[in-house]
Amino acid sequence: MDKYTKQSETSYALGTTLTIELLSRKKEVATRIYINPKQKRDETYNKLISLARSAGIPVIENNQKIFSALSGKDNVMAIGEFKKFDNTLPKDKNHLVLVNPSNMGNLGTVIRSGAAFEIGGLAIIRPAADAFDPKCVRSSMGAIFSLPFHYYDSFEEYEKEFPAHKIHPFMLQAKKELSSVQKEEPYSLVFGNEATGLPKEFLEKGEPVIIAQSSLIDSLNLDNAVSIGLYTFKNK
Amino acid sequence: MDKYTKQSETSYALGTTLTIELLSRKKEVATRIYINPKQKRDETYNKLISLARSAGIPVIENNQKIFSALSGKDNVMAIGEFKKFDNTLPKDKNHLVLVNPSNMGNLGTVIRSGAAFEIGGLAIIRPAADAFDPKCVRSSMGAIFSLPFHYYDSFEEYEKEFPAHKIHPFMLQAKKELSSVQKEEPYSLVFGNEATGLPKEFLEKGEPVIIAQSSLIDSLNLDNAVSIGLYTFKNK
């Protein structure tokens, strides 16, 4: 059992809650469940065992070592091993597009908010953080098993696949404020890198949008901006 | 020079950008500026020196040790030492109230969003994370020097001081959805702890509000929920 790397074919849901999410939402990719010998024989244990059994996933209960090897912590009580998967984004639904997100924690939180507001799919433009990294799986709180996402090598590749989507790049240089934008579905809400935002050429794409904010700060945190965008568009 | 603790009377802005924020927004609490001997004599350096001089703050340029001692990293090029301060919240402006926030990173990000949407002040109900911890100062991106905040021992203490504020507890058990709430100023948007939310008795206070979200997730990340609340209320 090796430490996770970007090249690994499998990744891990670290923790009982995450493992339950894996087995409930995406059991077809689960390959093995490890239960920490220290885990009490309680309701959570029974739930894990019964979910794994009904999905036909092997359960390993006598491998203490893997817990320190994979999590670096002793308090992780279950690990769900899964094969990395790929999704197709639905053509007729709204999308979220992240261009070059670099922080795994942020990416996970964005996936969580995407699932919260039922966006149809998430496109991630490379270079980008690895959504399958156990840290991202964890910060998504398992939403990674619900929200379809797909990596693209360039924004152009994404655009070509979804020509009907109305593009809204979120940029501090945009003129149109979020609350006054008219909603036309299907739409794509596009956000740039945490530190640098979207490159200027996105001002020429679709209808750029700004979230009005005071001059007291440079910019909003990426996942905060995304959450505001998703929620506001959903409720238009 | 000791490591920061909750009991310290001074805290630190770690980094050139944060130190510039300290000197620009709240110079009256700055006590000393350290510049890393490795910092280049560039524009940033000149800006730091001129801000410190015009505010009459001593600049120490030959103390390499403090950088590893306080930041644990070598790439911090400036440290702004400041005396912890206390603010009064304005009676006639809208507030954000955090009940028992436990995560310093989240608290900092919330302060950043609070400044972004120009909320009048932030009340923090104890027990709570320490807003002056250098980690929180950092995750606020310096917004801690702009947004007035004050700690209270209980929500009742806060309520008593601001009887005119319309209270909106944000709770998953609330019936009224955020987008259909009517805005009456001054208002207080109240959010609970990251893991547990607000206690049930808040359902009896003012007009509770829910941010509608799918059943795919347990709840939104605290700072994401706060950002949505602040933005939506501001634009009502």
Side-chain angles (χ1 to χ4, degrees):
Chain A
M1 191 58 51
D2 296 327
K3 273 239 148 191
Y4 176 83
T5 71
K6 214 168 173 168
Q7 282 71 42
S8 309
E9 285 180 13
T10 51
S11 184
Y12 307 95
L14 302 178
T16 50
T17 314
L18 280 185
T19 303
I20 288 171
E21 284 294 305
L22 165 66
L23 292 171
S24 317
R25 312 267 183 208
K26 199 103 187 158
K27 59 177 181 226
E28 65 274 21
V29 300
T31 47
R32 212 173 302 177
I33 304 301
Y34 297 91
I35 298 185
N36 194 323
K38 290 186 205 154
Q39 163 70 33
K40 292 199 197 87
R41 299 306 185 242
D42 58 5
E43 243 178 85
T44 306
Y45 174 84
N46 292 337
K47 188 164 184 189
L48 274 168
I49 295 286
S50 97
L51 281 170
R53 272 205 195 131
S54 74
I57 316 290
V59 177
I60 289 110
E61 301 197 53
N62 55 3
N63 187 338
Q64 174 81 65
K65 264 197 221 155
I66 192 177
F67 286 87
S68 41
L70 283 180
S71 75
K73 287 188 214 155
D74 258 3
N75 60 353
V76 168
M77 290 294 136
I79 294 176
E81 183 191 80
F82 64 93
K83 236 174 99 77
K84 292 190 192 175
F85 49 94
D86 193 20
N87 311 280
T88 317
L89 304 190
K91 278 219 179 332
D92 54 341
K93 290 200 180 150
N94 305 314
H95 297 162
L96 176 64
V97 183
L98 295 186
V99 179
N100 311 141
S102 63
N103 179 294
M104 281 183 295
N106 274 347
L107 180 54
T109 314
V110 162
I111 291 172
R112 187 173 163 197
S113 292
F117 300 123
E118 293 168 289
I119 193 82
L122 165 66
I124 307 170
I125 313 297
R126 292 193 182 96
D130 176 13
F132 284 116
D133 190 287
K135 282 191 210 105
C136 180
V137 174
R138 183 154 226 178
S139 81
S140 87
M141 306 280 270
I144 194 169
F145 303 124
S146 311
L147 180 71
F149 65 95
H150 186 79
Y151 278 84
Y152 292 87
D153 282 325
S154 68
F155 186 76
E156 287 61 39
E157 191 191 337
Y158 166 79
E159 256 184 322
K160 214 177 271 177
E161 194 175 328
F162 301 100
H165 277 62
K166 181 160 182 209
I167 306 288
H168 291 291
F170 278 66
M171 305 177 75
L172 290 172
Q173 306 97 315
K175 298 262 183 307
K176 192 91 174 176
E177 213 281 325
L178 171 59
S179 32
S180 63
V181 175
Q182 222 180 324
K183 172 159 109 176
E184 284 171 42
E185 300 189 288
Y187 54 77
S188 304
L189 310 184
V190 186
F191 294 83
N193 170 270
E194 292 89 343
T196 56
L198 286 171
K200 283 219 174 97
E201 46 279 25
F202 277 82
L203 281 173
E204 312 299 322
K205 292 187 191 291
E207 184 181 31
V209 171
I210 181 171
I211 301 175
Q213 52 199 257
S214 83
S215 58
L216 293 171
I217 63 157
D218 273 348
S219 67
L220 287 165
N221 206 26
L222 174 61
D223 56 296
N224 285 200
V226 169
S227 295
I228 291 170
L230 288 171
Y231 178 79
T232 307
F233 260 85
K234 192 180 162 103
N235 288 284
K236 270 182 193 291
Chain B
M1 191 58 50
D2 295 326
K3 273 237 148 194
Y4 176 83
T5 71
K6 216 170 171 166
Q7 283 71 43
S8 310
E9 286 179 14
T10 51
S11 184
Y12 307 95
L14 302 178
T16 50
T17 314
L18 279 186
T19 303
I20 287 171
E21 284 294 304
L22 166 65
L23 292 171
S24 319
R25 312 266 182 208
K26 200 102 185 157
K27 57 176 184 231
E28 65 274 21
V29 300
T31 46
R32 211 173 299 177
I33 303 303
Y34 295 92
I35 297 185
N36 194 325
K38 289 187 207 153
Q39 163 71 33
K40 291 200 197 88
R41 298 309 184 241
D42 59 6
E43 243 178 84
T44 306
Y45 174 83
N46 292 337
K47 188 163 184 188
L48 274 168
I49 295 285
S50 95
L51 280 169
R53 273 204 196 133
S54 73
I57 316 289
V59 177
I60 289 113
E61 299 197 55
N62 56 4
N63 188 337
Q64 174 82 65
K65 264 197 220 154
I66 191 176
F67 286 87
S68 41
L70 283 179
S71 75
K73 285 188 214 154
D74 257 3
N75 60 352
V76 168
M77 290 295 135
I79 294 177
E81 184 191 78
F82 63 93
K83 237 174 96 78
K84 291 189 193 175
F85 49 93
D86 193 20
N87 312 280
T88 317
L89 304 189
K91 278 221 180 329
D92 54 340
K93 289 199 181 151
N94 305 313
H95 297 163
L96 175 64
V97 183
L98 295 185
V99 179
N100 311 142
S102 64
N103 179 294
M104 281 183 295
N106 274 347
L107 180 53
T109 314
V110 162
I111 292 173
R112 186 173 163 196
S113 292
F117 301 123
E118 294 168 289
I119 193 83
L122 165 66
I124 307 169
I125 314 297
R126 293 192 182 98
D130 176 13
F132 285 116
D133 190 288
K135 282 191 211 104
C136 180
V137 175
R138 183 155 225 174
S139 80
S140 86
M141 304 281 269
I144 194 171
F145 303 123
S146 312
L147 180 71
F149 66 95
H150 186 78
Y151 277 84
Y152 292 87
D153 283 325
S154 68
F155 186 76
E156 288 61 39
E157 192 191 336
Y158 166 79
E159 256 183 322
K160 215 177 271 176
E161 193 175 329
F162 302 100
H165 277 63
K166 182 160 183 210
I167 306 289
H168 290 290
F170 279 67
M171 306 177 74
L172 290 172
Q173 305 97 316
K175 298 262 182 307
K176 191 93 174 174
E177 212 280 326
L178 171 59
S179 32
S180 63
V181 176
Q182 223 181 323
K183 171 159 109 175
E184 284 171 42
E185 301 190 286
Y187 54 76
S188 304
L189 310 184
V190 186
F191 293 83
N193 171 270
E194 291 89 343
T196 56
L198 286 171
K200 282 217 176 104
E201 47 276 27
F202 277 82
L203 281 172
E204 312 300 322
K205 292 188 191 291
E207 185 182 31
V209 171
I210 182 172
I211 300 174
Q213 53 198 258
S214 82
S215 59
L216 293 171
I217 63 157
D218 273 349
S219 68
L220 287 165
N221 206 26
L222 174 62
D223 56 296
N224 286 199
V226 170
S227 296
I228 291 170
L230 289 171
Y231 178 80
T232 307
F233 260 86
K234 191 180 163 104
N235 288 285
K236 270 182 193 289

